[in-house]
PDB file of all heavy atoms in Angstrom:
ATOM      1  N   HIS A   1      75.995  93.878  98.388  1.00  0.00           N
ATOM      2  CA  HIS A   1      76.103  94.033  96.933  1.00  0.00           C
ATOM      3  C   HIS A   1      74.935  94.897  96.433  1.00  0.00           C
ATOM      4  O   HIS A   1      74.127  94.467  95.609  1.00  0.00           O
ATOM      5  CB  HIS A   1      76.079  92.665  96.251  1.00  0.00           C
ATOM      6  CG  HIS A   1      77.170  91.746  96.687  1.00  0.00           C
ATOM      7  ND1 HIS A   1      78.474  91.878  96.259  1.00  0.00           N
ATOM      8  CD2 HIS A   1      77.162  90.682  97.538  1.00  0.00           C
ATOM      9  CE1 HIS A   1      79.219  90.930  96.811  1.00  0.00           C
ATOM     10  NE2 HIS A   1      78.445  90.192  97.590  1.00  0.00           N
ATOM     11  N   LEU A   2      74.860  96.105  96.940  1.00  0.00           N
ATOM     12  CA  LEU A   2      73.834  97.057  96.529  1.00  0.00           C
ATOM     13  C   LEU A   2      74.470  98.077  95.588  1.00  0.00           C
ATOM     14  O   LEU A   2      75.501  98.668  95.912  1.00  0.00           O
ATOM     15  CB  LEU A   2      73.239  97.762  97.741  1.00  0.00           C
ATOM     16  CG  LEU A   2      72.406  96.862  98.677  1.00  0.00           C
ATOM     17  CD1 LEU A   2      72.134  97.558 100.001  1.00  0.00           C
ATOM     18  CD2 LEU A   2      71.097  96.463  98.021  1.00  0.00           C
ATOM     19  N   HIS A   3      73.884  98.264  94.410  1.00  0.00           N
ATOM     20  CA  HIS A   3      74.448  99.164  93.415  1.00  0.00           C
ATOM     21  C   HIS A   3      73.432 100.236  93.034  1.00  0.00           C
ATOM     22  O   HIS A   3      72.251 100.141  93.394  1.00  0.00           O
ATOM     23  CB  HIS A   3      74.899  98.377  92.179  1.00  0.00           C
ATOM     24  CG  HIS A   3      73.792  97.624  91.515  1.00  0.00           C
ATOM     25  ND1 HIS A   3      73.503  96.307  91.805  1.00  0.00           N
ATOM     26  CD2 HIS A   3      72.891  97.996  90.572  1.00  0.00           C
ATOM     27  CE1 HIS A   3      72.481  95.906  91.074  1.00  0.00           C
ATOM     28  NE2 HIS A   3      72.089  96.913  90.325  1.00  0.00           N
ATOM     29  N   PRO A   4      73.854 101.270  92.303  1.00  0.00           N
ATOM     30  CA  PRO A   4      72.934 102.371  91.980  1.00  0.00           C
ATOM     31  C   PRO A   4      71.731 101.912  91.157  1.00  0.00           C
ATOM     32  O   PRO A   4      71.830 101.010  90.320  1.00  0.00           O
ATOM     33  CB  PRO A   4      73.814 103.339  91.181  1.00  0.00           C
ATOM     34  CG  PRO A   4      75.203 103.049  91.638  1.00  0.00           C
ATOM     35  CD  PRO A   4      75.237 101.571  91.896  1.00  0.00           C
ATOM     36  N   GLN A   5      70.603 102.592  91.381  1.00  0.00           N
ATOM     37  CA  GLN A   5      69.382 102.294  90.645  1.00  0.00           C
ATOM     38  C   GLN A   5      69.581 102.549  89.156  1.00  0.00           C
ATOM     39  O   GLN A   5      70.266 103.482  88.747  1.00  0.00           O
ATOM     40  CB  GLN A   5      68.234 103.169  91.147  1.00  0.00           C
ATOM     41  CG  GLN A   5      66.894 102.886  90.478  1.00  0.00           C
ATOM     42  CD  GLN A   5      65.825 103.900  90.838  1.00  0.00           C
ATOM     43  OE1 GLN A   5      66.092 105.100  90.859  1.00  0.00           O
ATOM     44  NE2 GLN A   5      64.619 103.435  91.113  1.00  0.00           N
ATOM     45  N   SER A   6      68.952 101.719  88.337  1.00  0.00           N
ATOM     46  CA  SER A   6      69.000 101.870  86.885  1.00  0.00           C
ATOM     47  C   SER A   6      68.475 103.245  86.472  1.00  0.00           C
ATOM     48  O   SER A   6      67.403 103.678  86.913  1.00  0.00           O
ATOM     49  CB  SER A   6      68.152 100.777  86.221  1.00  0.00           C
ATOM     50  OG  SER A   6      67.799 101.134  84.897  1.00  0.00           O
ATOM     51  N   VAL A   7      69.212 103.919  85.597  1.00  0.00           N
ATOM     52  CA  VAL A   7      68.755 105.228  85.121  1.00  0.00           C
ATOM     53  C   VAL A   7      67.509 105.081  84.253  1.00  0.00           C
ATOM     54  O   VAL A   7      66.691 106.010  84.152  1.00  0.00           O
ATOM     55  CB  VAL A   7      69.873 105.943  84.333  1.00  0.00           C
ATOM     56  CG1 VAL A   7      71.029 106.292  85.253  1.00  0.00           C
ATOM     57  CG2 VAL A   7      70.351 105.095  83.157  1.00  0.00           C
ATOM     58  N   ASP A   8      67.334 103.919  83.625  1.00  0.00           N
ATOM     59  CA  ASP A   8      66.137 103.696  82.812  1.00  0.00           C
ATOM     60  C   ASP A   8      64.884 103.638  83.679  1.00  0.00           C
ATOM     61  O   ASP A   8      63.825 104.159  83.293  1.00  0.00           O
ATOM     62  CB  ASP A   8      66.270 102.386  82.017  1.00  0.00           C
ATOM     63  CG  ASP A   8      67.343 102.467  80.949  1.00  0.00           C
ATOM     64  OD1 ASP A   8      67.763 103.592  80.622  1.00  0.00           O
ATOM     65  OD2 ASP A   8      67.759 101.407  80.447  1.00  0.00           O
ATOM     66  N   ILE A   9      64.997 102.990  84.837  1.00  0.00           N
ATOM     67  CA  ILE A   9      63.864 102.968  85.770  1.00  0.00           C
ATOM     68  C   ILE A   9      63.646 104.347  86.364  1.00  0.00           C
ATOM     69  O   ILE A   9      62.508 104.830  86.469  1.00  0.00           O
ATOM     70  CB  ILE A   9      64.103 101.927  86.882  1.00  0.00           C
ATOM     71  CG1 ILE A   9      64.103 100.504  86.285  1.00  0.00           C
ATOM     72  CG2 ILE A   9      63.055 102.057  87.979  1.00  0.00           C
ATOM     73  CD1 ILE A   9      64.433  99.418  87.291  1.00  0.00           C
ATOM     74  N   ALA A  10      64.733 105.015  86.730  1.00  0.00           N
ATOM     75  CA  ALA A  10      64.626 106.321  87.385  1.00  0.00           C
ATOM     76  C   ALA A  10      63.892 107.332  86.515  1.00  0.00           C
ATOM     77  O   ALA A  10      63.089 108.132  87.008  1.00  0.00           O
ATOM     78  CB  ALA A  10      66.013 106.846  87.736  1.00  0.00           C
ATOM     79  N   GLN A  11      64.152 107.330  85.192  1.00  0.00           N
ATOM     80  CA  GLN A  11      63.518 108.336  84.336  1.00  0.00           C
ATOM     81  C   GLN A  11      62.005 108.145  84.247  1.00  0.00           C
ATOM     82  O   GLN A  11      61.259 109.088  83.993  1.00  0.00           O
ATOM     83  CB  GLN A  11      64.132 108.302  82.937  1.00  0.00           C
ATOM     84  CG  GLN A  11      63.759 107.087  82.107  1.00  0.00           C
ATOM     85  CD  GLN A  11      64.328 107.144  80.694  1.00  0.00           C
ATOM     86  OE1 GLN A  11      64.998 108.112  80.327  1.00  0.00           O
ATOM     87  NE2 GLN A  11      64.073 106.111  79.911  1.00  0.00           N
ATOM     88  N   GLY A  12      61.528 106.914  84.475  1.00  0.00           N
ATOM     89  CA  GLY A  12      60.091 106.673  84.468  1.00  0.00           C
ATOM     90  C   GLY A  12      59.434 107.031  85.781  1.00  0.00           C
ATOM     91  O   GLY A  12      58.267 107.422  85.814  1.00  0.00           O
ATOM     92  N   VAL A  13      60.182 106.900  86.865  1.00  0.00           N
ATOM     93  CA  VAL A  13      59.606 107.111  88.194  1.00  0.00           C
ATOM     94  C   VAL A  13      59.711 108.561  88.639  1.00  0.00           C
ATOM     95  O   VAL A  13      58.772 109.118  89.211  1.00  0.00           O
ATOM     96  CB  VAL A  13      60.297 106.183  89.224  1.00  0.00           C
ATOM     97  CG1 VAL A  13      59.788 106.478  90.629  1.00  0.00           C
ATOM     98  CG2 VAL A  13      60.073 104.727  88.860  1.00  0.00           C
ATOM     99  N   ASP A  14      60.829 109.214  88.364  1.00  0.00           N
ATOM    100  CA  ASP A  14      61.063 110.554  88.880  1.00  0.00           C
ATOM    101  C   ASP A  14      60.157 111.588  88.225  1.00  0.00           C
ATOM    102  O   ASP A  14      59.812 111.490  87.042  1.00  0.00           O
ATOM    103  CB  ASP A  14      62.522 110.964  88.650  1.00  0.00           C
ATOM    104  CG  ASP A  14      63.486 110.151  89.495  1.00  0.00           C
ATOM    105  OD1 ASP A  14      63.024 109.473  90.432  1.00  0.00           O
ATOM    106  OD2 ASP A  14      64.695 110.190  89.207  1.00  0.00           O
ATOM    107  N   ALA A  15      59.787 112.594  89.013  1.00  0.00           N
ATOM    108  CA  ALA A  15      59.047 113.732  88.471  1.00  0.00           C
ATOM    109  C   ALA A  15      60.009 114.621  87.697  1.00  0.00           C
ATOM    110  O   ALA A  15      61.162 114.815  88.085  1.00  0.00           O
ATOM    111  CB  ALA A  15      58.403 114.516  89.599  1.00  0.00           C
ATOM    112  N   SER A  16      59.524 115.198  86.567  1.00  0.00           N
ATOM    113  CA  SER A  16      60.342 116.128  85.794  1.00  0.00           C
ATOM    114  C   SER A  16      59.422 116.970  84.922  1.00  0.00           C
ATOM    115  O   SER A  16      58.516 116.440  84.271  1.00  0.00           O
ATOM    116  CB  SER A  16      61.351 115.374  84.918  1.00  0.00           C
ATOM    117  OG  SER A  16      60.696 114.528  84.004  1.00  0.00           O
ATOM    118  N   GLY A  17      59.652 118.280  84.910  1.00  0.00           N
ATOM    119  CA  GLY A  17      58.799 119.156  84.121  1.00  0.00           C
ATOM    120  C   GLY A  17      57.348 119.035  84.559  1.00  0.00           C
ATOM    121  O   GLY A  17      57.012 119.229  85.718  1.00  0.00           O
ATOM    122  N   ASN A  18      56.470 118.705  83.595  1.00  0.00           N
ATOM    123  CA  ASN A  18      55.056 118.518  83.905  1.00  0.00           C
ATOM    124  C   ASN A  18      54.724 117.080  84.286  1.00  0.00           C
ATOM    125  O   ASN A  18      53.552 116.751  84.492  1.00  0.00           O
ATOM    126  CB  ASN A  18      54.194 118.935  82.701  1.00  0.00           C
ATOM    127  CG  ASN A  18      54.288 120.427  82.432  1.00  0.00           C
ATOM    128  OD1 ASN A  18      54.401 121.219  83.369  1.00  0.00           O
ATOM    129  ND2 ASN A  18      54.264 120.806  81.158  1.00  0.00           N
ATOM    130  N   LYS A  19      55.721 116.224  84.332  1.00  0.00           N
ATOM    131  CA  LYS A  19      55.499 114.803  84.633  1.00  0.00           C
ATOM    132  C   LYS A  19      55.513 114.573  86.135  1.00  0.00           C
ATOM    133  O   LYS A  19      56.458 114.954  86.831  1.00  0.00           O
ATOM    134  CB  LYS A  19      56.570 113.938  83.962  1.00  0.00           C
ATOM    135  CG  LYS A  19      56.438 112.455  84.271  1.00  0.00           C
ATOM    136  CD  LYS A  19      57.600 111.678  83.685  1.00  0.00           C
ATOM    137  CE  LYS A  19      57.555 110.216  84.103  1.00  0.00           C
ATOM    138  NZ  LYS A  19      57.653 110.043  85.566  1.00  0.00           N
ATOM    139  N   ASP A  20      54.472 113.926  86.663  1.00  0.00           N
ATOM    140  CA  ASP A  20      54.406 113.586  88.086  1.00  0.00           C
ATOM    141  C   ASP A  20      55.214 112.318  88.333  1.00  0.00           C
ATOM    142  O   ASP A  20      55.634 111.619  87.400  1.00  0.00           O
ATOM    143  CB  ASP A  20      52.945 113.372  88.505  1.00  0.00           C
ATOM    144  CG  ASP A  20      52.758 113.435  90.013  1.00  0.00           C
ATOM    145  OD1 ASP A  20      53.758 113.654  90.740  1.00  0.00           O
ATOM    146  OD2 ASP A  20      51.611 113.269  90.469  1.00  0.00           O
ATOM    147  N   ILE A  21      55.420 111.994  89.604  1.00  0.00           N
ATOM    148  CA  ILE A  21      56.101 110.752  89.966  1.00  0.00           C
ATOM    149  C   ILE A  21      55.315 109.577  89.418  1.00  0.00           C
ATOM    150  O   ILE A  21      54.102 109.456  89.634  1.00  0.00           O
ATOM    151  CB  ILE A  21      56.233 110.632  91.495  1.00  0.00           C
ATOM    152  CG1 ILE A  21      57.152 111.735  92.030  1.00  0.00           C
ATOM    153  CG2 ILE A  21      56.766 109.265  91.885  1.00  0.00           C
ATOM    154  CD1 ILE A  21      57.194 111.791  93.547  1.00  0.00           C
ATOM    155  N   GLY A  22      55.982 108.695  88.685  1.00  0.00           N
ATOM    156  CA  GLY A  22      55.325 107.537  88.104  1.00  0.00           C
ATOM    157  C   GLY A  22      55.447 106.314  88.993  1.00  0.00           C
ATOM    158  O   GLY A  22      56.258 106.261  89.927  1.00  0.00           O
ATOM    159  N   ALA A  23      54.627 105.307  88.706  1.00  0.00           N
ATOM    160  CA  ALA A  23      54.704 104.048  89.440  1.00  0.00           C
ATOM    161  C   ALA A  23      56.051 103.388  89.175  1.00  0.00           C
ATOM    162  O   ALA A  23      56.579 103.438  88.062  1.00  0.00           O
ATOM    163  CB  ALA A  23      53.571 103.123  89.018  1.00  0.00           C
ATOM    164  N   GLY A  24      56.607 102.751  90.205  1.00  0.00           N
ATOM    165  CA  GLY A  24      57.906 102.109  90.075  1.00  0.00           C
ATOM    166  C   GLY A  24      57.882 100.833  89.264  1.00  0.00           C
ATOM    167  O   GLY A  24      58.929 100.306  88.894  1.00  0.00           O
ATOM    168  N   ASP A  25      56.705 100.325  88.967  1.00  0.00           N
ATOM    169  CA  ASP A  25      56.579  99.127  88.140  1.00  0.00           C
ATOM    170  C   ASP A  25      55.118  98.967  87.761  1.00  0.00           C
ATOM    171  O   ASP A  25      54.228  99.588  88.344  1.00  0.00           O
ATOM    172  CB  ASP A  25      57.061  97.884  88.900  1.00  0.00           C
ATOM    173  CG  ASP A  25      57.443  96.730  87.973  1.00  0.00           C
ATOM    174  OD1 ASP A  25      57.193  96.841  86.755  1.00  0.00           O
ATOM    175  OD2 ASP A  25      57.982  95.736  88.473  1.00  0.00           O
ATOM    176  N   GLN A  26      54.870  98.114  86.763  1.00  0.00           N
ATOM    177  CA  GLN A  26      53.492  97.750  86.482  1.00  0.00           C
ATOM    178  C   GLN A  26      53.038  96.721  87.507  1.00  0.00           C
ATOM    179  O   GLN A  26      53.860  96.120  88.205  1.00  0.00           O
ATOM    180  CB  GLN A  26      53.369  97.147  85.087  1.00  0.00           C
ATOM    181  CG  GLN A  26      54.002  95.753  84.961  1.00  0.00           C
ATOM    182  CD  GLN A  26      53.762  95.143  83.597  1.00  0.00           C
ATOM    183  OE1 GLN A  26      53.974  95.799  82.586  1.00  0.00           O
ATOM    184  NE2 GLN A  26      53.328  93.900  83.565  1.00  0.00           N
TER     185      GLN A  26
END
């Protein structure tokens, strides 16, 4: 029962533009 990662989490973790890869959680 493995499903796709939340897009809300992905946008915080993934690098984009000038944003580096973020921590996957606090």
